[in-house]
Amino acid sequence: MGNCRSTSRVLPGKTYVPDLEWKIHDFSSLLETGAKTATSGRFHCSGYEWYLNVSPMHEKPGAGTPYVALCLMLSREKVKRDHTVHAVFELSIYNQSKGMYCRCQANYNFDIKNNYSKKECLIPLQELLKSSAFLVDDSCVFGVEILKIDVPSPEKKAVVVYQKTTTVQNLFVHNKGFIKGTYIWPMDNFPELESKHFVRSPTFEVGGHKWYIGMYPRGDKFTTDSLSLYLYLDASKKLPALESKKVAVMTLSILDQKGNT
């Protein structure tokens, strides 16, 4: 997904109104899980669906210390295979003492295979942890505003970024509440499965919920040159309204014949 580039700063000009304001509660618990990234829920802008992705311990080349970095993710569901979506946007972290965002501007050409922007380093991790402005009650706030979208196409239609209201999301991470589980899906007939478009594992249970692994032996609809694996929450039993979102820290691996990754 590229190397981490600039750090955040206060930019002059117009009032900053993010498309997404994403508050992460219990930030220290997120670090304790060892998660390399965390992803927001989806938000909408100009006919496309987007996500914000944070890397809490990103290794910036040559820095010698980990950074908190952000990148913008475009959902591939509404992107045509032969189109490129050029976006100009600002990624930010909220200074809760001054009531203002520190932000950096970036741009990226998104397409069906490249749907993550380059990572932008906002603040050194240790500086964030020691801060009483960016980290308050173990919570920090990130934001993103999409300034411009351009989709080169034969129709040459400009995409208008409309005035909007800010989507507000919260992520609660309670490390003590995490339930660990492991599932191994043995396949003795892989050559036979290779010709299929999609194969799913038997359902297994972790944390009181049922899950299954989905495999595209020859790649999903977004890629045709590699095997693709996904973890799915079994939708046959709907989550209660108050538990409509779950935080999962996971690793999907392919084991060799000795059981090693």
Side-chain angles (χ1 to χ4, degrees):
M1 291 190 293
N3 292 329
C4 191
R5 301 189 298 179
S6 59
T7 53
S8 61
R9 60 193 185 279
V10 177
L11 295 177
K14 67 180 183 60
T15 302
Y16 181 72
V17 181
D19 290 282
L20 173 69
E21 181 182 283
W22 185 31
K23 186 172 186 177
I24 299 181
H25 303 259
D26 310 300
F27 187 78
S28 60
S29 293
L30 179 64
L31 298 176
E32 290 172 10
T33 67
K36 293 184 178 180
T37 63
T39 304
S40 73
R42 72 179 64 183
F43 65 97
H44 300 267
C45 181
S46 301
Y48 293 94
E49 295 176 347
W50 308 83
Y51 300 85
L52 186 58
N53 184 280
V54 61
S55 300
M57 297 178 285
H58 180 71
E59 296 294 335
K60 182 179 180 180
T65 182
Y67 268 72
V68 177
L70 292 181
C71 73
L72 182 63
M73 173 185 171
L74 173 63
S75 174
R76 297 179 290 190
E77 293 296 332
K78 295 185 178 181
V79 180
K80 294 182 179 180
R81 186 169 294 275
D82 58 342
H83 280 192
T84 297
V85 179
H86 177 74
V88 180
F89 51 93
E90 289 181 350
L91 301 168
S92 59
I93 183 170
Y94 188 60
N95 186 317
Q96 300 181 58
S97 294
K98 295 183 178 180
M100 61 190 303
Y101 283 91
C102 290
R103 59 196 196 271
C104 61
Q105 187 174 120
N107 65 84
Y108 191 74
N109 290 321
F110 298 90
D111 58 42
I112 200 74
K113 290 187 176 181
N114 302 289
N115 66 321
Y116 285 85
S117 72
K118 293 182 179 179
K119 293 181 179 180
E120 301 290 341
C121 292
L122 295 186
I123 186 173
L125 175 60
Q126 290 304 316
E127 182 179 331
L128 174 66
L129 295 178
K130 295 176 182 178
S131 172
S132 59
F134 295 105
L135 189 67
V136 177
D137 295 330
D138 203 19
S139 299
C140 51
V141 181
F142 300 104
V144 56
E145 181 182 14
I146 299 175
L147 304 174
K148 180 181 178 181
I149 299 175
D150 184 27
V151 185
S153 66
E155 300 82 6
K156 296 183 179 180
K157 293 182 179 179
V159 178
V160 179
V161 179
Y162 298 98
Q163 287 187 329
K164 70 284 181 181
T165 56
T166 300
T167 298
V168 178
Q169 297 180 4
N170 291 275
L171 174 63
F172 296 90
V173 185
H174 301 290
N175 194 27
K176 294 181 180 179
F178 272 88
I179 300 174
K180 296 183 179 181
T182 301
Y183 174 75
I184 297 178
W185 180 19
M187 287 178 283
D188 300 323
N189 58 337
F190 185 78
E192 298 175 14
L193 300 177
E194 195 175 5
S195 62
K196 296 182 180 295
H197 174 65
F198 177 77
V199 184
R200 60 171 287 174
S201 73
T203 301
F204 59 95
E205 186 170 325
V206 174
H209 296 285
K210 294 184 178 180
W211 312 79
Y212 64 91
I213 298 172
M215 179 182 72
Y216 294 86
R218 294 186 176 273
D220 58 18
K221 64 181 179 179
F222 305 116
T223 177
T224 57
D225 55 4
S226 62
L227 181 148
S228 301
L229 291 175
Y230 294 89
L231 177 66
Y232 293 92
L233 181 63
D234 194 333
S236 60
K237 182 180 179 181
K238 293 184 178 180
L239 291 171
L242 294 178
E243 295 183 313
S244 57
K245 295 182 180 180
K246 290 290 182 181
V247 176
V249 179
M250 62 178 180
T251 301
L252 292 173
S253 305
I254 299 177
L255 306 181
D256 61 21
Q257 298 300 312
K258 295 182 180 180
N260 300 315
T261 56

